[in-house]
């Protein structure tokens, strides 16, 4: 058994709700009907309420007040609403990790998701799949910190430039956060394309077969790790 597999078996896996698990299952269905996704989200009133608050925030970018899930889906689209519901569900499944700034961590994840989506759109790939993959990519680091909080201090020590986190993780543990997250993605039965992308994200050109989504995650991570990068930096990028 590889060191990565042994490490994965030793961690307490994050628990997601039945609703979040059901939403993950819809990612396997390209033709999942709107009613099905809406009904899944509606089963969790807390999640639905958080999603509506987010939809009415400036960051969601919708043009008018949103009063229902149907309104949010109609204005933002099914894929975007599902992606945001998954983001809320996934983030709630992880406890606080000592030594890691939770606000900064999730802000970085959101930046990575946004850059991943922007790149995927330009390459005419599945933008929402890229968004979710980018959001989840660093989850493996949270599992590393669960085993030994000291790992986080070494991985996150300053100065830290884009790409340093992969290097430090490999030196420390022999594998990267993306490789760890890929195992979690497979455990959650996410599409293999997403798991493979996460697995190869640190070295996409060296991995066979080549994963275009893995290359997108690589670039998005480097962009999101640029010092002083803000969560809204992606909106300054050109439209085409």
């Amino acid at each position: 058994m590889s060191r990565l597999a042994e490490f994965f078996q030793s961690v307490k896996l994050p628990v997601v709700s039945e609703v979040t698990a059901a939403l993950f299952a819809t990612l396997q269905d390209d033709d999942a009907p709107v009613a099905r996704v809406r009904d899944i989200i509606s089963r969790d009133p807390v999640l639905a309420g958080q999603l509506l608050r987010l939809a009415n925030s400036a960051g969601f970018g919708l043009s008018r007040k949103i009063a229902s899930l149907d309104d949010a889906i109609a204005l933002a689209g099914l894929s975007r609403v599902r992606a945001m519901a998954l983001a809320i569900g996934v983030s709630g499944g992880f406890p606080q990790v000592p030594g890691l700034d939770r606000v900064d961590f999730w802000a970085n994840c959101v930046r990575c998701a946004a850059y991943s989506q922007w790149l995927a759109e330009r390459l005419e790939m599945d933008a929402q799949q890229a968004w979710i993959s980018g959001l989840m990519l660093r989850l493996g680091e949270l599992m590393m910190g669960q085993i030994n909080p000291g790992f986080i201090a070494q991985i996150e020590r300053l100065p830290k430039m884009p790409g340093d986190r992969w290097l430090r993780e490999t030196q420390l543990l022999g594998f990267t956060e993306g490789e760890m997250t890929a195992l979690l993605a497979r455990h959650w039965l996410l599409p293999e394309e997403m798991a493979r992308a996460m697995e190869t994200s640190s070295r996409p050109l060296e991995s066979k077969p080549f994963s275009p989504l893995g290359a997108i995650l690589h670039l998005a991570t480097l962009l999101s790790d640029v010092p002083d990068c803000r969560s809204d930096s992606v909106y300054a990028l050109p439209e085409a």
Side-chain angles (χ1 to χ4, degrees):
M1 182 182 296
S2 69
R3 186 178 184 186
L4 172 61
E6 290 179 354
F7 194 98
F8 186 77
Q9 288 190 353
S10 69
V11 302
K12 182 179 179 181
L13 296 181
V15 177
V16 294
S17 69
E18 292 183 5
V19 167
T20 301
L23 287 173
F24 274 136
T26 67
L27 293 173
Q28 300 279 14
D29 183 2
D30 292 335
D31 299 314
V34 170
R36 179 182 170 198
V37 175
R38 180 199 60 213
D39 290 347
I40 290 172
I41 296 173
S42 297
R43 281 158 41 190
D44 186 338
V46 174
L47 172 62
Q50 290 176 316
L51 183 59
L52 289 177
R53 284 196 295 274
L54 182 61
N56 283 303
S57 69
F60 210 76
L62 300 184
S63 58
R64 64 176 176 83
K65 183 76 173 177
I66 302 301
S68 68
L69 290 175
D70 285 331
D71 284 348
I73 292 170
L75 286 174
L78 176 64
S79 294
R80 191 176 182 195
V81 168
R82 177 174 57 185
M84 294 307 299
L86 283 170
I88 294 169
V90 168
S91 64
F94 287 85
Q96 180 71 41
V97 176
L100 189 68
D101 185 319
R102 190 176 182 89
V103 172
D104 180 73
F105 176 86
W106 287 109
N108 179 273
C109 291
V110 169
R111 288 197 301 272
C112 185
Y115 281 123
S116 297
Q117 178 177 331
W118 185 87
L119 290 164
E121 287 172 346
R122 272 69 196 164
L123 295 173
E124 298 183 348
M125 293 172 58
D126 188 328
Q128 291 308 313
Q129 187 179 80
W131 193 96
I132 295 170
S133 300
L135 182 84
M136 292 181 58
L137 187 58
R138 283 187 69 185
L139 297 185
E141 185 182 2
L142 296 182
M143 291 189 283
M144 294 173 182
Q146 180 192 125
I147 294 297
N148 185 341
F151 290 159
I152 299 298
Q154 295 180 64
I155 293 168
E156 296 294 327
R157 71 180 187 275
L158 298 176
K160 184 180 68 188
M161 298 302 293
D164 280 356
R165 199 167 57 250
W166 293 322
L167 178 62
R168 293 172 183 179
E169 290 166 348
T170 301
Q171 291 174 338
L172 185 65
L173 294 164
F175 51 85
T176 66
E177 61 199 32
E179 292 172 286
M180 175 66 80
T181 309
L183 293 182
L184 180 63
R186 293 184 175 112
H187 176 77
W188 282 345
L189 303 180
L190 270 64
E192 176 59 24
E193 182 180 0
M194 293 175 63
R196 176 65 179 165
M198 296 169 185
E199 187 175 55
T200 64
S201 59
S202 64
R203 295 179 298 273
L205 296 180
E206 299 175 21
S207 304
K208 306 297 181 183
F210 174 71
S211 168
L213 180 55
I216 282 176
L217 295 181
H218 182 89
L219 291 173
T221 298
L222 295 178
L223 289 168
S224 61
D225 284 349
V226 171
D228 301 320
C229 179
R230 303 191 315 273
S231 294
D232 60 355
S233 296
V234 69
Y235 300 114
L237 296 174
E239 291 297 322

